[in-house]
């Protein structure tokens, strides 16, 4: 893997865990569980907001949203590190698949197609 | 924001949505909901596995894990894009906070401290 | 525990698992993981809908919502069974706590208080 | 619907929300989002535990697990109430479907079949 900022984050998170001898807790299973729990905390920030409110969070809400999003990313890079795959490569592959699966001329503006997305 | 591969991913995902007129569905609230649903699918890949099995997925499992992790990252960058914050900066801030909160000499190897993490 | 329909469901789900020798997979940890994954599938049914659309799902959507809600309930009773606690008692205790915590005259109609709920 | 304790819980939760004028927040979409967030909190209780530890939580852990499971049930009955479907009927239908889909003689003790469950 090349030296992207995402890989730098991965190294830093790995060192954080190693320094505390916490790698023993970082099985892929546990990391996936921690990730979905953090994703739930991120969702909780938006649960009672209208669509419009969710697009204009106040400073306090933004602080919490950034922190929860950071937690999700931290566990995601930790998981990719433990299972030795590159997140950016995986994401690029997924977008290419989606581009084939949802041709612009067939799905444009269609919420039905989108619901099946 | 500078031109990191993560920002390139963000642009590509934005263009994917714009080309399909799907930005109308991408309120932060909806994106957070889609993100936690994808995190749930990622968790499902590991739910019946032992810790040891989760660290050695077969090729088919790895393919699904990569695809689900990619979906989480895609919605995460889409959310950060819509709310105009930088994911890597947010993650760095969170790690610094964790470093202060969990000093190595106090929490090393302690699962109790870790449970409160 | 007394013979409520919820306890009948608990027995039936236990027998379903026992007949298939699947109890070995039903550690509380695994059940909690399966439960959040099913909750994610339930959330996915609503992720691109507006608030109004979510209140009026068509027959096909209702079928999927019912099935996902059923999966959540099934894992929830399985978890309560494995950890030997009564869900209805736990829910009653939680409501009493919420009634004390959110006095009607202080929180009525307040989304701010509600956001802290 | 008949007068089961689960329906009594449903009425009580409805009254709790109505007394606070909080029904305005209880769109099915918002309730599904709150439910998955609570399911995430329940998962978080188990995330660093081994399978064995998860089967023997201490009193403090059990208190939190009961409270989180209660929150999941409360949002689940609130959702079923808003969408007017009976949770126990939906769960019974799902078990019957699973009994047809996973015949005892074909899937007994098989984790492979179970993973596809």
């Amino acid at each position: 893997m090349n030296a992207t900022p995402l890989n730098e984050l991965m190294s830093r998170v790995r060192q954080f865990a190693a320094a505390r001898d916490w790698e023993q807790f970082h099985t892929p299973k546990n990391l996936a569980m921690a990730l979905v729990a953090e994703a739930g905390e991120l969702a909780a920030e938006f649960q009672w907001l209208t669509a419009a409110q969710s697009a204009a969070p106040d400073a306090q809400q933004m602080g919490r949203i950034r922190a929860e999003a950071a937690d999700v990313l931290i566990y995601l890079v930790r998981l990719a590190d433990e299972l030795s795959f590159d997140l950016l490569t995986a994401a690029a592959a997924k977008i290419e698949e989606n581009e084939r699966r949802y041709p612009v001329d067939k799905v444009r503006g269609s919420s039905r197609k989108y619901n099946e997305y």
Side-chain angles (χ1 to χ4, degrees), chain A residues 10-77:
Chain A
M10 190 183 284
S11 298
R12 193 165 171 193
V13 177
R14 188 196 303 161
Q15 283 160 24
F16 177 87
R20 283 154 189 80
D21 198 20
W22 283 355
E23 282 164 321
Q24 58 184 307
F25 302 113
H26 287 185
T27 62
K29 181 182 179 111
N30 289 4
L31 292 167
M33 205 166 185
L35 191 156
V36 71
E38 295 296 343
E41 290 189 37
L42 181 60
E45 291 300 326
F46 297 100
Q47 65 196 3
W48 310 120
L49 304 185
T50 61
Q53 288 169 338
S54 85
D58 64 31
Q60 219 174 4
Q61 289 171 319
M62 266 304 292
R64 292 197 305 265
I65 291 162
R66 285 169 56 100
E68 300 302 349
D71 283 332
V72 172
L73 185 61
I74 286 168
Y75 283 123
L76 195 61
V77 299

